[in-house]
Amino acid sequence: KRACSRIAPFLPPGLCDSTEMTDRETWATRIGFILASVGSAVGLGNIWRFPYQTAEFGGAAFLLVYLVAVLVIGVPAILGEFVIGRRADISAISAFDALDRPGWRIVGALGVFGGFWTLSYYSVVGGWVFRYIGASATGSYLESPGAYFISVSAGPEAVAFHGAFMLVTVGIVAFGIRGGIEKATKVMVPSIVLLLVGLAAYAFTLSGAEAGYQYFLSPDIDLLLSNYQTVVPAAVGQALFSLSLGFAVMITYASYIDDDENLFIDGGVIALTNTFIGITAGLVVFPLLAVQGGGYGEAGPGAIFVSIPTALSEVPFGTAVGFVFFLIVAVAALSSAISLLEVVVSYLVDSYGFERRRTSVLLGGIVFALGVPSATETAWLEWFDAIGVNLLLPLAVLLTVVFVGWVLADDAVEEVRRGADGFDALGPIWLWSIRSIVFLAVLGTVALSVFELTGAPL
Ligand code: PHE
């Protein structure tokens, strides 16, 4: 059973001294579970990816499709992961054994691998954000933001900041569910909300902000109708990424649930809070982009690192605002990174009896090494991102959806109803939505990504 002890002679000392296999942790409180999940959902996806995707795909029209996608695809899918995790009571890969479907372990394995992969460059971007907190204090990005971004986004310093980001991530995960993740996210998530709402209020006072709101909030339906074939998959992909689906995070987090909670409510609250924070981030970013003269479309991945600093040089209290802004982004990124690392750590801890602290350090080191190319050359980062988010993630979600919808099926309905008195009617509706609209939308996303990545003409 304890595979770790068998290979112990080949491992660093102490790696197999776990007690968690016999004494598995749970969340201390329901709100702890919800905040940790929100912390995972709210991340670079909301503040970095969401605004530039919105800009790239037509502003408010994208926002509209995204909101629908969260509701009809994201929420049912997140419930699917919760059901697997809570019913199995064990981390991602072994969950499929616990559910008596060992053939489906591959689904968990794909998720764990995808998360590991994604964390490697997610942490590089997190490192940039660390760097920008410091740069806000000194104002060093103000003079020429574009050149500054190029100079810090790749190279030895980017590697060092990537290392610092991983170090903090490891530091939290090493302390476990209650003492690490739950404690940290209980402070992190409310701080993000508070500070972000403050910045949105500040952005409201900027002259020239209206153009930003206009762009972000009034949909151009004609544009949407003529571009739906690019807008819709992008919005679905963003909804899946933003809710932390695919990489087994929600399976893992739900496996630490102790009581019978109403999963419908938990899933709804998590999706709602995540969307609220994403929109609030838009209400900060778009007015600032408007102040520096619009150009939303060209913003791209460098948007918040170039356009925002450009705007900061023109607004009152610029560097102080920059400091708070990048602080928020850093906290949001960290609370997501810990969930990605936890998925892999809990797998080794639960299934092989590895000791948590040492395992966190070891895996953190491996993720760090895997991220070095991305920190050295931005083209690598984009490649890792394309594979992770456009391919591994939707593929893992697709397999999860098939598993929940057709393999678990009635068991899944029974599980989702547990602790959800009064919501009985929703169970079958949920299963139906998984088998139809969720399945089709995710299948479409996977197909399009494959076409795009292989360059096949559509
Ligand atoms: N949801 C996170 C974000 O928006 C990213 C993430 C995806 C985290 C998948 C975990 C799993 O930044």
Side-chain angles (χ1 to χ4, degrees):
K1 185 89 224 219
R2 275 185 156 237
C4 193
S5 344
R6 255 182 275 136
I7 51 170
F10 308 104
L11 296 170
L15 202 59
C16 299
D17 303 343
S18 176
T19 54
E20 277 189 66
M21 267 180 119
T22 43
D23 196 7
R24 198 168 188 267
E25 272 197 283
T26 57
W27 303 105
T29 59
R30 179 177 184 186
I31 188 81
F33 160 66
I34 293 178
L35 287 178
S37 305
V38 170
S40 172
V42 173
L44 294 169
N46 301 60
I47 310 180
W48 171 63
R49 204 167 184 275
F50 177 61
Y52 87 76
Q53 290 266 305
T54 305
E56 199 171 323
F57 293 103
F62 176 85
L63 175 63
L64 193 70
V65 184
Y66 168 75
L67 292 179
V68 175
V70 166
L71 194 70
V72 301
I73 295 159
V75 173
I78 204 174
L79 286 174
E81 290 203 12
F82 285 168
V83 160
I84 296 176
R86 187 174 72 176
R87 198 169 182 81
D89 254 334
I90 192 159
S91 58
I93 302 181
S94 310
F96 295 88
D97 293 328
L99 297 174
D100 286 331
R101 272 87 169 184
W104 287 82
R105 287 168 61 101
I106 181 77
V107 181
L110 185 67
V112 172
F113 175 75
F116 200 70
W117 176 274
T118 302
L119 181 56
S120 76
Y121 74 87
Y122 200 88
S123 164
V124 173
V125 181
W128 297 349
V129 179
F130 272 14
R131 180 69 186 257
Y132 270 68
I133 298 177
S136 303
T138 57
S140 39
Y141 52 54
L142 289 178
E143 205 172 308
S144 68
Y148 184 80
F149 179 64
I150 291 174
S151 72
V152 301
S153 56
E157 287 178 37
V159 174
F161 279 89
H162 156 54
F165 186 90
M166 273 317 297
L167 213 61
V168 182
T169 306
V170 166
I172 297 172
V173 173
F175 285 96
I177 292 299
R178 290 191 186 190
I181 299 179
E182 186 165 354
K183 237 189 207 150
T185 48
K186 242 186 187 150
V187 181
M188 291 163 115
V189 173
S191 322
I192 294 172
V193 174
L194 221 65
L195 293 174
L196 206 55
V197 168
L199 278 194
Y202 160 87
F204 184 72
T205 66
L206 296 174
S207 62
E210 305 81 41
Y213 293 129
Q214 170 82 19
Y215 185 78
F216 186 44
L217 299 175
S218 39
D220 179 346
I221 300 296
D222 290 335
L223 188 87
L224 175 60
L225 292 179
S226 56
N227 283 319
Y228 69 91
Q229 69 280 45
T230 51
V231 175
V232 173
V236 172
Q238 174 62 20
L240 301 178
F241 180 72
S242 189
L243 286 173
S244 294
L245 293 169
F247 298 149
V249 167
M250 297 302 173
I251 297 181
T252 306
Y253 275 10
S255 73
Y256 294 111
I257 296 179
D258 192 12
D259 300 323
D260 286 353
E261 313 186 0
N262 185 330
L263 293 179
F264 291 109
I265 294 185
D266 291 4
V269 169
I270 292 163
L272 206 69
T273 316
N274 180 53
T275 306
F276 170 76
I277 294 178
I279 291 181
T280 313
L283 294 178
V284 175
V285 171
F286 285 98
L288 280 169
L289 294 183
V291 165
Q292 58 93 50
Y296 314 100
E298 307 96 77
I304 67 164
F305 298 103
V306 180
S307 312
I308 297 283
T310 308
L312 292 176
S313 60
E314 295 170 26
V315 296
F317 317 112
T319 48
V321 170
F323 184 83
V324 177
F325 179 78
F326 288 110
L327 187 68
I328 297 172
V329 185
V331 173
L334 276 172
S335 63
S336 301
I338 56 180
S339 71
L340 288 169
L341 187 60
E342 170 62 23
V343 168
V344 199
V345 168
S346 71
Y347 167 59
L348 292 182
V349 167
D350 282 354
S351 308
Y352 298 106
F354 278 59
E355 193 271 333
R356 172 174 286 273
R357 290 191 187 193
R358 293 185 173 88
T359 307
S360 308
V361 174
L362 183 74
L363 289 174
I366 300 175
V367 171
F368 169 74
L370 189 63
V372 168
S374 299
T376 313
E377 178 67 59
T378 309
W380 276 112
L381 190 147
E382 285 168 9
W383 184 75
F384 270 82
D385 180 49
I387 307 266
V389 173
N390 298 339
L391 189 67
L392 298 176
L393 187 146
L395 199 61
V397 178
L398 183 67
L399 293 175
T400 309
V401 164
V402 171
F403 179 76
V404 171
W406 284 277
V407 181
L408 271 190
D410 294 339
D411 289 354
V413 173
E414 183 191 298
E415 182 63 33
V416 84
R417 278 175 162 169
R418 199 149 66 81
D421 296 333
F423 286 65
D424 276 352
L426 280 182
I429 298 180
W430 166 71
L431 186 68
W432 171 84
S433 77
I434 287 272
R435 288 174 166 183
S436 55
I437 178 147
V438 177
F439 172 69
L440 289 175
V442 180
L443 183 66
T445 312
V446 172
L448 275 175
S449 299
V450 171
F451 279 125
E452 220 158 90
L453 286 172
T454 56
L458 201 58

